[in-house]
């Protein structure tokens, strides 16, 4: 099975690209499901047909669905939430507050992912294309398996099997959930663990940022790239959408628009290297319906199978070596020359000859100082250390 997730800033065209990829996949004879996790639910509009929370067959080998988070919450979490709420009410917690406290943080994201995985597995789909919510929500969605594992571990750790806590058992027992709740959380935790393994397996899952030739959109995509790398989610390509094609434009407005876009388009190719970049042309009309989506897929991918893995390897990683953090960037096609680094807050601009790349630093490096840059095994390694003032304070 292949899972392809398109993400990016709201309005960049993720839904259209996702639907076009699914249409092409189905046309190639693969049982394909395209599903939206975006609350806006524009996938139905793009496919020009109403959709429900269960997969609906639209064409040979093509199914689509829009996850109804509220229904999924009631179906998958309702009984467990009710039990936990009852336990809290018995301890004197207000009814409304008990219901709120019974919701595990991020449970809506968890049930969305579990729904997609369950339908993909039970429906024997070969390809699942996910039209994700805007970047911030998607990063939260993808971080939830890790956060839930931590949360579940803390809850199930209250089973009090340790002899050192035996004396406190009567006191603590009154405050912890019943064994039924603990067992249910444990079962859900095991399912989430399996889901996490699937989402981070590069042979199964691929993540593809969708960008437009716009500065704010590019910055948000770079931030998403950083967080995906930190969680170990494999990115295999980038789609640059709404690219104005070369032409003899006589109108000054169109000339300026094309010229500005062209600069940013080239920046996208340089910034996201070594990832492959696919380009979708700007259309004067909306792309609606399966025939038009098939034409768009042809314009983007040509005769290439869009479900294959386009890139394997780490885009960036952070390694700790004693008191130093090392940001490692594979740059196999860049020859070593003088490295110029400019750091502003959580952004770093790296220039090597004619090569230029903007990087959004993870929070752990934002307050550190870049001290050393060198090439090791076709990768640029940048060493970060705490500022001198902080080092002196800690000493």
């Amino acid at each position: 099975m292949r899972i392809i997730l398109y993400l990016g800033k709201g309005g960049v065209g993720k839904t259209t690209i996702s639907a076009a990829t699914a249409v092409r996949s189905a046309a190639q004879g693969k049982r394909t499901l395209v599903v939206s996790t975006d609350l806006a639910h524009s996938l139905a509009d793009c496919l020009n047909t109403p959709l429900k929370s269960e997969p609906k067959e639209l064409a040979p080998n093509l199914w689509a669905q829009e996850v109804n988070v509220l229904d999924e919450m009631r179906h998958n979490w309702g009984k467990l939430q009710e039990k936990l709420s009852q336990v809290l009410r018995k301890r004197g917690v207000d009814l409304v507050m008990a219901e709120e406290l019974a919701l595990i943080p991020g449970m809506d994201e968890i049930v969305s992912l579990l729904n997609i995985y369950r339908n993909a597995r039970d429906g024997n789909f070969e390809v699942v294309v996910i039209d994700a919510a805007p970047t911030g929500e998607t990063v939260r969605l993808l971080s939830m398996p890790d956060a839930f594992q931590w949360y579940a571990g803390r809850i199930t750790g209250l089973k009090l099997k340790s002899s050192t806590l035996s004396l406190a058992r009567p006191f603590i027992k009154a405050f912890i959930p019943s064994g039924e709740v603990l067992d249910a959380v444990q079962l859900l935790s095991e399912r989430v663990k399996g889901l996490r393994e699937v989402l981070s397996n590069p042979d199964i899952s691929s993540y593809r940022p969708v960008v437009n030739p716009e500065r704010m959109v590019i910055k948000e995509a770079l931030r998403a790239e950083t967080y995906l790398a930190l969680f170990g989610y494999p990115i295999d390509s980038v789609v640059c959408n709404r690219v104005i094609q070369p032409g003899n434009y006589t109108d000054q407005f169109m000339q300026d628009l094309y010229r500005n876009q062209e600069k940013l388009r080239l920046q996208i190719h340089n910034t996201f290297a070594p990832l492959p970049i696919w380009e979708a042309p700007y259309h004067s009309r909306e792309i609606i319906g399966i025939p038009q989506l098939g034409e768009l897929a042809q314009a983007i991918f040509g005769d290439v199978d869009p479900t294959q893995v386009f890139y394997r390897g780490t885009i960036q990683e952070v390694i700790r070596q004693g008191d130093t953090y090392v940001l490692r960037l594979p740059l196999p096609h860049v020859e070593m020359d003088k490295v110029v680094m400019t750091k502003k807050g959580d952004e770093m601009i790296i220039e090597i000859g004619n090569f230029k790349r903007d990087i959004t630093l993870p929070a752990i490096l934002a307050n550190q100082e870049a001290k050393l840059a060198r090439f090791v095994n076709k990768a640029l390694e940048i060493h970060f250390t705490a500022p001198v003032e902080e080092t002196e304070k800690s000493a």
Side-chain angles (χ1 to χ4, degrees), residues 4-7 13-24 32-35 43 46-47 62 129-132 208 210 293 296 300:
I4 300 169
L5 187 145
Y6 287 100
L7 69 156
K14 299 183 300 294
T15 301
T16 305
I17 301 298
S18 300
T21 301
V23 168
R24 166 60 72 83
T32 304
L33 170 67
V34 57
V35 54
L43 181 60
C46 182
L47 291 165
L62 180 64
V129 183
I130 302 175
D131 166 32
R208 298 176 183 172
V210 179
L293 289 166
L296 176 62
I300 299 171

Side-chain angles (χ1 to χ4, degrees), residues 331-349:
L331 299 172
H333 307 299
V334 176
E335 296 295 329
M336 183 59 177
D337 198 347
K338 183 179 179 181
V339 178
V340 178
M341 298 183 296
T342 306
K343 182 174 177 291
K344 296 179 181 178
D346 67 346
E347 291 186 16
M348 171 165 279
I349 301 172

